[in-house]
Amino acid sequence: MNYRIYNAEDFLFDESFRQWASGSSPQSAAFWEQWLIQNPDRAEVVKQAQELVRALNEHYRDDATDARFTSELNRLMQLAAEHRDAELETPVIPLQQQSWWRWAAAASIILVAGLGIWLYRYTTTSTSSPESYAHLTKTASLPLQEKVNTSNQPINVLLCDGSLITLRPKSRVSYPKHFAKTSRTVYLNGEAFFDVAKNPAKPFLIYANQTVTKVLGTSFLVRAFEEEKAVTVTVRTGRVSVYTRQDFEKAQQSGLRRIEGIILTPNQQMTYNLEEKHLLKALVEKPTALMPEAVSREQVFEDAPVTKVFATIERTYGVKLIYNEDDLSACLVNLTFLNENLLERLDIICQTIGASYEVLDGQIVISSKGCK
C-alpha cells in the first residue's frame, strides 16, 4: 500500500495502523516506527490519526474491538455526511468512493450536535496547546506510561535502557515501556535529575515546556514546571545540547544536520525564558568538582606557572578558563588550596597575580597585564 498518499482518515481504516496507535501489536509498531523514519514529512498527518484512534479507544475501552471501531467510524462519518448534505442540499457521495469527501465529512463532525464524549475528547485534544505536556503525551508516536510524584521526597524511575530518573516532588514524567529504534524520548512536567545510560547510536531526548534536551549519556537536572516562566537545565557530567522545541522539530522535518541551540558542559546551566523565547547559558552558582577527591585534600603549588594552576582547575571542575597564555607565561605562584571552592580559588589566584575575571556565556574569562 502507498501510505504516503493517505490522509488522516485513511489511516483510521487501516487495521495495522490502529493496532500500532493502540499499542496492541509489536509487529505493527516496528513497521510504523520505520515508516515514520522514512517519511518524516507525514508525521503531522499520522499524529492527527493517532489522536482519533486513542480517543475512540478511550471512549470504548470496554469493547474497543476492530469491528466496533470500524462500525463507529463509519457511523460517525455517515452522520457527518448526512448533516453536511442537509445543510448544502447536495447529494451524499458514498464514503468509499472519494477519500477527500471522507475527510471533509470527518471535519464537519464538529458541526453535528449530540456526538457526545468522543467528539468532546477529540476537539479538546485538537485545540490544546501544542507545547503543553498533556498534548505532547497524547500525540506521542509510542504508547506511554506515566510516573507522578505526589510525595514530599524524590522518587526513582528506572527506564528500560538502564537510565535513572530522580523525579522531584510535584513532578511527572511520561515514557514508553520500550524505546524506539532510533531515539529514547521522554516527556517532563516538573523537575527531575537524569542519569542517562550511554548509547551514541540512540540519543536521549527530554521534551519539557517548549524545550528539547538531547544527550547521548550523561547526568543533568531539568526544571520545567508549566506554571513557571522559565526552563533550566543544569549539567553535572558530560555534554548536553538544548534547543527550543520549534527549532528542533523544524530541523528534523527539513533534514538539517545543524540545529540552533546551546551546548552545555559540566557546571554550566541553560535558562530558557518562555516570554522572551531566548536561551541563555551561564555558569552554575556553586560549581562542584568533577573529582571530589582532588579538592578534599591539600593542593600545594610551589613556584608553579599560573597556567599550570589554571589547567588543574579546568580538569577538576570541567570549566573552561579563557586567558592569554603568552601574557601569563612569566607568572609563578606559591599557593596552597584545601577546602576553597572554584570561585574562591580564582579570587586567590587573581589577587596574587593582579588579574581579574568575569563569567561570560558559561565560561570564565581572565584578564591580566601579565607578570614582569
Side-chain angles (χ1 to χ4, degrees), residues 233-279:
V233 178
T234 305
V235 178
R236 177 178 293 180
T237 63
R239 182 186 179 97
V240 171
S241 301
V242 186
Y243 314 94
T244 65
R245 180 179 167 231
Q246 182 179 13
D247 289 342
F248 183 80
E249 294 189 343
K250 184 184 297 183
Q252 281 194 319
Q253 292 170 4
S254 60
L256 294 177
R257 292 183 177 274
R258 181 180 177 183
I259 312 174
E260 293 296 329
I262 283 182
I263 296 175
L264 301 176
T265 53
N267 286 313
Q268 289 185 338
Q269 176 177 286
M270 183 285 309
T271 301
Y272 179 62
N273 187 299
L274 299 178
E275 294 180 348
E276 299 177 1
K277 309 293 184 183
H278 180 63
L279 296 169

Side-chain angles (χ1 to χ4, degrees), residues 1-6 11 31-47 252-253:
M1 295 184 181
N2 185 7
Y3 289 117
R4 283 197 55 80
I5 65 174
Y6 270 37
F11 284 114
F31 171 82
W32 286 105
E33 287 169 18
Q34 184 62 32
W35 190 87
L36 274 176
I37 294 172
Q38 297 171 350
N39 301 273
D41 58 311
R42 305 298 295 163
E44 189 60 35
V45 175
V46 169
K47 283 185 178 182
Q252 281 194 319
Q253 292 170 4

Side-chain angles (χ1 to χ4, degrees), residues 59-268:
H59 182 46
Y60 294 105
R61 65 175 67 186
D62 296 328
D63 188 22
T65 63
D66 283 339
R68 180 67 179 270
F69 192 99
T70 302
S71 174
E72 182 62 12
L73 277 176
N74 281 316
R75 187 185 71 81
L76 291 173
M77 294 291 187
Q78 185 63 40
L79 184 59
E82 290 173 358
H83 179 81
R84 187 181 181 89
D85 176 62
E87 285 193 340
L88 302 180
E89 296 183 355
T90 56
V92 176
I93 301 176
L95 300 181
Q96 291 77 9
Q97 290 183 11
Q98 297 193 30
S99 176
W100 66 268
W101 173 256
R102 297 216 317 268
W103 182 236
S108 70
I109 290 177
I110 61 174
L111 300 176
V112 182
L115 290 185
I117 297 176
W118 179 84
L119 176 60
Y120 173 77
R121 290 182 182 275
Y122 172 60
T123 55
T124 299
T125 302
S126 298
T127 58
S128 62
S129 169
E131 301 291 353
S132 71
Y133 171 85
H135 178 86
L136 290 174
T137 53
K138 286 181 180 178
T139 58
S141 59
L142 292 176
L144 303 176
Q145 49 193 0
E146 184 181 57
K147 194 72 173 180
V148 182
N149 187 355
T150 57
S151 71
N152 295 322
Q153 300 294 328
I155 60 174
N156 291 329
V157 181
L158 183 63
L159 304 184
C160 62
D161 66 332
S163 296
L164 181 66
I165 302 175
T166 303
L167 193 64
R168 303 290 172 84
K170 300 180 182 179
S171 303
R172 59 183 62 214
V173 64
S174 288
Y175 52 95
K177 185 176 182 180
H178 299 289
F179 288 119
K181 294 182 179 179
T182 57
S183 65
R184 298 171 285 171
T185 302
V186 302
Y187 304 87
L188 173 70
N189 179 13
E191 186 175 19
F193 184 82
F194 293 83
D195 193 350
V196 177
K198 290 186 178 181
N199 188 344
K202 187 181 291 190
F204 195 97
L205 305 174
I206 302 99
Y207 281 73
N209 207 4
Q210 302 184 33
T211 65
V212 178
T213 301
K214 178 181 179 181
V215 301
L216 300 179
T218 182
S219 59
F220 55 99
L221 177 74
V222 178
R223 182 182 177 91
F225 287 96
E226 289 192 342
E227 62 272 18
E228 295 182 351
K229 296 182 178 180
V231 176
T232 58
V233 178
T234 305
V235 178
R236 177 178 293 180
T237 63
R239 182 186 179 97
V240 171
S241 301
V242 186
Y243 314 94
T244 65
R245 180 179 167 231
Q246 182 179 13
D247 289 342
F248 183 80
E249 294 189 343
K250 184 184 297 183
Q252 281 194 319
Q253 292 170 4
S254 60
L256 294 177
R257 292 183 177 274
R258 181 180 177 183
I259 312 174
E260 293 296 329
I262 283 182
I263 296 175
L264 301 176
T265 53
N267 286 313
Q268 289 185 338

